[in-house]
Amino acid sequence: MQSLAVPPGPVMVDVQGTQLTQREKERLRHPLVGAVILFARNYESPEQLSALTREIHEVRKAPLLIAVDHEGGRVQRFKTNGFTHLPGMRELGCYWEKDPQSAIRAATELAYVMAAELRACGVDFTFAPVLDLDYGVSQVIGSRSFHRDPKVVTTLARAIIQGLCLAGMAACGKHFPGHGFVEADSHLAIPVDERTLDEIMNEDALPYQWLGDMVLPAVMPAHVIYPKVDNSPAGFSRKWVQDILRRQLVYNGVVFSDDLTMEGASVAGDIVARAQAALNAGCDMVLVCNRPDLADELLERLEFAITSESIERIQRLMPAMPFMNWEALQLNKRYQDARAFRHKIVSE
């Protein structure tokens, strides 16, 4: 039985397999849940994925947002059985060095392919593009970054966002204000960036300033501590989220926490303390990935009333129009032409 048309809650959870269990359906109906994130384990084929997303959307009368980390390169959850294996963003940056205008065109075309394939399978949203600068030191960012120059990053990101939008998909810039300068991987450690606020704002944060929420409707802060600015990681910091992102940069899009089960989030305490810290800092939605036990603990213990502003922001990420199914997409000439741009950047 469907639940009432309750608005989206502030928690994004995952599911374990290729179809929903009864326990997962009950979890997704919890009023604190507002979205679902998918992983490679949730994918076998476009047909199976389409069935899974239909099942998720039908759980609630007001459908939950279905998201995925799908950037291209080494962070692409679905890349077999028909999905196009897309290049990493650094390869677009290298193409820019040879032919900037063609790189912009290619970025738009490939982002359209990315979004079209996802939407044809019922996925609503992707956590892309990465806006971190490529300083050549980060273990976790690396080839996921377009370029060292914030102007190039912003230009190529805008092209990616346009391509996503052409398939009716919103974008998310990450990891605010910048993860590229630190070597440590926030999945495994607690990275610390010792630069001053001016240094960060004049380099890493420029893409967020130049794009704004009219172009970039969602942002994900980094699990990085910038001690010369605040002693909390950016996603747990009112100074970063409220004072700098919201007020100084006049940003009014969705702010997602990064995954609260990552080591970089551990400084805030247990799962409830982490979620409370992120939400109190100004995040609209928090992610709990790969730990259904912690998701259940959070849903049971979290006391938080989502604001009408956050609800409106999250709802804006839902696609406004239906999209063609997988079979129709394969016959679509616009999609076929866009897919051919991959060969301009990478060889088989």
Side-chain angles (χ1 to χ4, degrees), residues 18 39-49 70 73 76-86 117-118 121 326 330 335 339 342:
T18 54
F39 291 91
R41 65 174 181 266
N42 303 122
Y43 176 73
E44 289 178 348
S45 68
E47 296 75 22
Q48 168 272 323
L49 182 59
H70 203 82
Q76 182 176 338
R77 304 307 184 201
F78 319 135
K79 48 190 173 186
T80 58
N81 295 335
F83 268 83
T84 304
H85 195 181
L86 296 162
E117 291 178 350
L118 291 172
C121 294
W326 185 264
Q330 303 312 302
Y335 164 73
R339 200 167 182 268
R342 178 183 183 278

Side-chain angles (χ1 to χ4, degrees), residues 18-308:
T18 54
Q19 57 187 17
L20 295 182
T21 65
Q22 187 57 41
R23 177 69 194 93
E24 286 170 338
K25 291 179 182 179
E26 292 168 5
R27 183 182 298 125
L28 298 186
R29 291 190 183 107
H30 195 289
L32 287 175
V33 171
V36 177
I37 183 168
L38 301 180
F39 291 91
R41 65 174 181 266
N42 303 122
Y43 176 73
E44 289 178 348
S45 68
E47 296 75 22
Q48 168 272 323
L49 182 59
S50 298
L52 176 61
T53 57
R54 278 196 303 273
E55 202 176 11
I56 294 170
H57 281 144
E58 289 169 359
V59 163
R60 299 262 283 256
K61 193 170 182 181
L64 295 167
L65 179 76
I66 301 177
V68 67
D69 256 335
H70 203 82
E71 307 164 7
R74 59 189 173 89
V75 180
Q76 182 176 338
R77 304 307 184 201
F78 319 135
K79 48 190 173 186
T80 58
N81 295 335
F83 268 83
T84 304
H85 195 181
L86 296 162
M89 296 303 99
R90 179 184 282 166
E91 294 182 71
L92 280 167
C94 291
Y95 191 23
W96 167 280
E97 297 287 349
K98 296 182 287 187
D99 187 344
Q101 298 305 314
S102 293
I104 293 171
R105 169 82 186 271
T108 302
E109 300 280 353
L110 291 174
Y112 175 79
V113 172
M114 179 195 300
E117 291 178 350
L118 291 172
R119 289 220 55 211
C121 294
V123 179
D124 304 311
F125 177 76
T126 182
F127 288 105
V130 168
L131 300 182
D132 301 314
L133 306 188
D134 186 5
Y135 288 92
V137 298
S138 174
Q139 297 176 18
V140 69
I141 303 304
S143 61
R144 298 165 66 193
S145 170
F146 292 107
H147 205 272
R148 168 63 182 84
D149 187 338
K151 295 186 182 70
V152 177
V153 169
T154 304
T155 302
L156 290 174
R158 183 179 283 269
I160 291 285
I161 294 164
Q162 181 182 18
L164 297 176
C165 185
L166 289 170
M169 181 172 284
C172 178
K174 56 189 187 184
H175 306 82
F176 177 81
H179 202 313
F181 191 80
V182 289
E183 183 178 350
D185 180 347
S186 54
H187 294 83
L188 308 172
I190 303 170
V192 177
D193 187 333
E194 296 284 357
R195 291 178 298 165
T196 66
L197 177 60
D198 284 346
E199 288 176 304
I200 297 165
M201 297 303 292
N202 291 330
E203 290 270 11
D204 302 61
L206 285 174
Y208 299 91
Q209 178 179 329
W210 289 335
L211 291 170
D213 61 270
M214 290 288 284
V215 175
L216 185 70
V219 163
M220 177 179 283
H223 282 328
V224 176
I225 297 174
Y226 308 86
K228 289 186 171 61
V229 182
D230 195 353
N231 291 325
S232 297
F236 299 147
S237 165
R238 288 185 65 86
K239 184 168 182 62
W240 277 115
V241 177
Q242 298 281 9
D243 297 345
I244 297 173
L245 182 60
R246 293 282 192 217
R247 296 192 185 96
Q248 185 176 331
L249 300 186
V250 198
Y251 185 78
N252 193 37
V254 176
V255 178
F256 289 98
S257 81
D258 207 340
D259 179 12
L260 296 183
T261 69
M262 291 164 55
E263 182 62 29
S266 64
V267 294
D270 68 11
I271 193 65
V272 179
R274 297 176 196 188
Q276 202 72 60
L279 294 167
N280 289 343
C283 291
D284 299 288
M285 180 169 280
V286 297
L287 279 67
V288 184
C289 306
N290 304 309
R291 288 291 303 272
D293 56 326
L294 293 183
D296 286 338
E297 180 182 351
L298 179 61
L299 296 175
E300 181 179 347
R301 294 176 50 208
L302 179 65
E303 295 182 5
F304 184 81
I306 190 169
T307 66
S308 58

